[in-house]
Amino acid sequence: MENAITQRIANFLKEYEPFSYLSYEDLIKIVSTIRVINLEKHKSLFQINDTLHDAFYVVASGVIHLTVISDAEETLLNKCYAGDIFGLRPFFAKNNYQMTAKAREESIVYAIPIATFKPFVAQNSTVLDFLLESFAVNTKNSLDNKNHTLISDNVTYSDNQSDMQYFQSLNYNKTPLKISHDTLIKDAAQLVTENMFDNSLITDQSYPIGIVTDKDFRSKVATGRYPLTNPISKIMASPVITVTENISVAEAQLVMLKHAVTHLCVTKDGTDKSEVKGIISEHDLVVAQANNPGILLKEIKKSQTAKDLKLVRNKLTDIIQSSLNKNIPLTHISSIVGEITLAIVKRAVEQAILELGSPPARFAWLCIGSQGRKEQLLLTDQDSILVFEDVTPEKYRDVKDYFLKLARKATATLEKVGYYNCPNGYMASNMMWCKSLTDWIKQYNNWINTPGESTNEISSVFFDYEMAFGEQKIEDAITDVIFSNIKNKVLFLDYLGNDTIKKPTPLNFFKKFNIEEEGEHKGKFDIKTRALMPLIDGARLLILNNNIKVANSTYLRFKQLAMIDPKYSEVYLNCADAYLVLSKFRTLEGLKNDSSGQYINLEELSKVDREKLKNALAPMKELEDLIKDKIQLTQFS
């Protein structure tokens, strides 16, 4: 690889974890072995059940989709953009690929040989920890250089404890076979065979001193190297690596890799001088990481009623609470919750179809607002639209009637699950928001071309959407209309810009919190309207202004803006961090009081938390000034 190209790739990788943890010299060594792969649109890099490659991958440009097959249906797990890591299975596991990686558009990926990268991992525990998390969970966005929200081969949940399995205690064999160190090999072999185990711990005075496996019997005894009359201690691997009880998947994987072993001995205090409590094998880790895309998703697919879906949503609340307690990054939690929420909506639509019969036309159900941004961590209201393909005029009424009935059944199901109806009526069950593709195109054109003149007031939530069910081509058509029409639409951006900066301020002139002065929430701080909405609206406005299609969530929008507009990168990054802090405050408030979390009781916060909340509001003024600088605000000021 030519020196200039090597340096360019090294400079690119240096911007992203885990490569940012390595020295530039080490990066140059790695880059010299990288293969650059050009993928045409819809070309697969690997597919489910393919034999593992000798490399893992980093997206250099373009978009890679990761999909799985579940119940004979292809399901999109994630979208990988520049800097994202995927295909780590050959680094840690031995079974074939569990997902398909396919180019959504013309893309370039870097193939990094496992053999080249592994020595650097062994020397750097931070890199190893990052890759372990990446293998164990499903979504990492390269724009996130502080929080480990990672793309990988697995999404895992605990069936029993409703927790992200990767971060919880690992299930392992708690009744291992234990053999005394002076037992003869022939007797030990008999015990292993009779108990149908493939390994045994070797003990001395009840303490673990070693381990034997099938491999030891094959390579050391069957070959004649050691006679059957020798004590088992002659062929055991020693010392045995011990760990504490309640070890997590992450920790077990880390220890195995560090010590290059396939089994761990669990003891009461984690040392070899205490009671044996169990044994962990590589197989236990593979099993723990094999449930893809997760038990909850499987339960959703099998659900028959709203009650079934509500039980899943209740478990999801437990996941959110326990994940926050374990300080799992909010970006990761949001990604997981977003996917499960979409799956719940999809199943609600499917249940309606099962009751009404096959749809008379193809359609797309789009979640909008917080669900569309995958930011709905609490049980707040549902927002949606339904777009059906164009039909002949004589069929239009009957087709629309069917979809309105479907939407009413689906939204009623979601209401029973806990997603209450949108107070503004922004739901597919409203005839205004259930119509043909052509009518929707006219709607978006009117909003964009004549803001302030249309009888339908513009709500910016219609510009945040994610398809939960239906035809991808219909969603793509809506996206194309928006972004092809929005170019040079100064008046529309002016309208959105003024709407953004007119939100009530979070702090008064004296830097005190502006709290509610009357009503049932008197004395509380409206974190949604005064803090989160300005960030959400500002990120959306600037994404539209820059014609950026790839980022849906507020956090990722600010991260993307920081990359394309380096002059203001500090402002964007501050806003991204502020959004996470504020979202966490709202989520904790909502979970504590079983509410939407919109109103924070400041008196219940510690002095440290109040200061943290106030600091998170600091980027608001910078964002307002940036919008005024970027957007011509005149007509609607």
Side-chain angles (χ1 to χ4, degrees), residues 340-359:
I340 295 176
T341 301
L342 286 176
I344 290 173
V345 174
K346 179 181 179 181
R347 189 56 184 164
V349 175
E350 289 174 343
Q351 289 178 3
I353 291 174
L354 289 171
E355 187 174 342
L356 291 175
S358 299

Side-chain angles (χ1 to χ4, degrees), residues 92-141:
F92 301 112
K94 296 180 180 179
N95 51 333
N96 294 341
Y97 285 111
Q98 302 296 296
M99 62 172 57
T100 294
K102 182 186 295 184
R104 169 68 175 166
E105 59 189 49
E106 286 190 17
S107 304
I108 298 174
V109 298
Y110 298 143
I112 303 180
I114 301 291
T116 300
F117 199 70
K118 209 160 190 175
F120 296 98
V121 175
Q123 299 162 16
N124 192 320
S125 60
T126 307
V127 174
L128 178 56
D129 187 48
F130 182 92
L131 295 183
L132 287 170
E133 290 184 37
S134 181
F135 179 67
V137 294
N138 175 49
T139 113
K140 183 245 179 235
N141 191 287

Side-chain angles (χ1 to χ4, degrees), residues 503-506 525-536 578-579 582 613 616-617 620:
K503 293 289 188 299
T505 57
F525 177 65
D526 186 348
I527 194 170
K528 176 184 176 182
T529 306
R530 295 183 181 274
L532 286 167
M533 289 309 300
L535 291 172
I536 293 168
Y579 178 79
L582 295 169
L613 177 57
L617 302 173
M620 299 293 185

Side-chain angles (χ1 to χ4, degrees), residues 48 66-70 73-75 77 98-100 292-293:
I48 295 171
L66 302 181
T67 62
V68 296
I69 302 296
S70 183
E73 178 184 327
E74 186 175 41
T75 301
L77 282 184
Q98 302 296 296
M99 62 172 57
T100 294
N292 193 341

Side-chain angles (χ1 to χ4, degrees), residues 266-313:
V266 181
T267 62
K268 190 171 184 178
D269 66 4
T271 73
D272 59 3
K273 299 301 181 186
S274 66
E275 178 187 354
V276 172
K277 305 297 288 186
I279 189 167
I280 299 170
S281 68
E282 270 189 329
H283 176 72
D284 294 326
L285 296 183
V286 172
V287 169
Q289 297 171 341
N291 293 328
N292 193 341
I295 298 299
L296 292 189
L297 294 178
K298 292 179 181 178
E299 290 181 7
I300 290 169
K301 286 180 177 291
K302 294 177 181 178
S303 68
Q304 299 298 316
T305 65
K307 183 178 180 181
D308 295 336
L309 291 175
K310 184 174 179 61
L311 290 173
V312 173
R313 187 53 183 80

Side-chain angles (χ1 to χ4, degrees), residues 77-95:
L77 282 184
N78 222 310
K79 302 174 184 179
C80 308
Y81 302 103
D84 285 341
I85 296 173
F86 66 98
L88 280 169
R89 178 159 290 272
F91 208 109
F92 301 112
K94 296 180 180 179
N95 51 333

Side-chain angles (χ1 to χ4, degrees), residues 371-562:
Q371 284 186 349
R373 296 189 303 272
K374 295 184 180 179
E375 294 173 348
Q376 190 183 43
L377 293 176
L378 299 168
L379 272 169
T380 54
D381 65 325
Q382 53 173 306
D383 301 285
S384 59
I385 65 174
L386 191 149
V387 189
F388 56 86
E389 66 180 349
D390 292 325
V391 296
T392 57
E394 60 269 20
K395 292 182 178 179
Y396 187 91
R397 173 171 288 187
D398 288 341
V399 170
K400 181 163 182 171
D401 283 347
Y402 170 91
F403 284 117
L404 280 172
K405 290 177 183 176
L406 181 148
R408 286 164 187 159
K409 288 184 179 296
T411 53
T413 295
L414 293 172
E415 186 178 17
K416 292 175 182 176
V417 171
Y419 300 104
Y420 58 84
N421 291 336
C422 173
N424 296 313
Y426 298 145
M427 297 190 301
S429 54
N430 184 331
M431 63 183 304
M432 291 179 60
W433 314 125
C434 174
K435 48 195 174 187
S436 69
L437 178 58
T438 293
D439 286 345
W440 271 111
I441 289 173
K442 291 178 182 178
Q443 180 71 75
Y444 277 100
N445 283 338
N446 285 338
W447 280 333
I448 295 171
N449 295 329
T450 57
E453 297 178 18
S454 174
T455 55
N456 292 331
E457 180 187 354
I458 299 174
S459 176
S460 52
V461 297
F462 289 96
F463 293 84
D464 297 332
Y465 52 84
E466 183 78 19
M467 189 175 72
F469 184 96
E471 291 287 323
Q472 182 65 49
K473 290 181 180 179
I474 293 178
E475 182 191 29
D476 292 343
I478 295 292
T479 301
D480 290 342
V481 166
I482 292 172
F483 283 94
S484 62
N485 202 13
I486 209 168
K487 294 176 183 176
N488 303 316
K489 289 299 188 293
V490 176
L491 199 62
F492 175 68
L493 296 173
D494 181 3
Y495 185 96
L496 291 187
N498 275 284
D499 184 59
T500 299
I501 66 174
K502 286 178 180 177
K503 293 289 188 299
T505 57
L507 301 176
N508 61 26
F509 178 79
F510 300 102
K511 302 300 180 184
K512 301 291 185 181
F513 288 102
N514 277 325
I515 57 177
E516 299 301 293
E517 297 182 355
E518 55 186 20
E520 63 174 309
H521 302 295
K522 183 179 180 180
K524 294 183 179 180
F525 177 65
D526 186 348
I527 194 170
K528 176 184 176 182
T529 306
R530 295 183 181 274
L532 286 167
M533 289 309 300
L535 291 172
I536 293 168
D537 292 345
R540 181 196 304 109
L541 168 66
L542 294 167
I543 282 290
L544 290 172
N545 183 51
N546 285 278
N547 211 45
I548 298 172
K549 300 180 183 180
V550 297
N552 256 16
S553 75
T554 301
Y555 177 79
L556 295 184
R557 284 171 171 173
F558 280 125
K559 288 287 189 172
Q560 186 73 34
L561 288 163

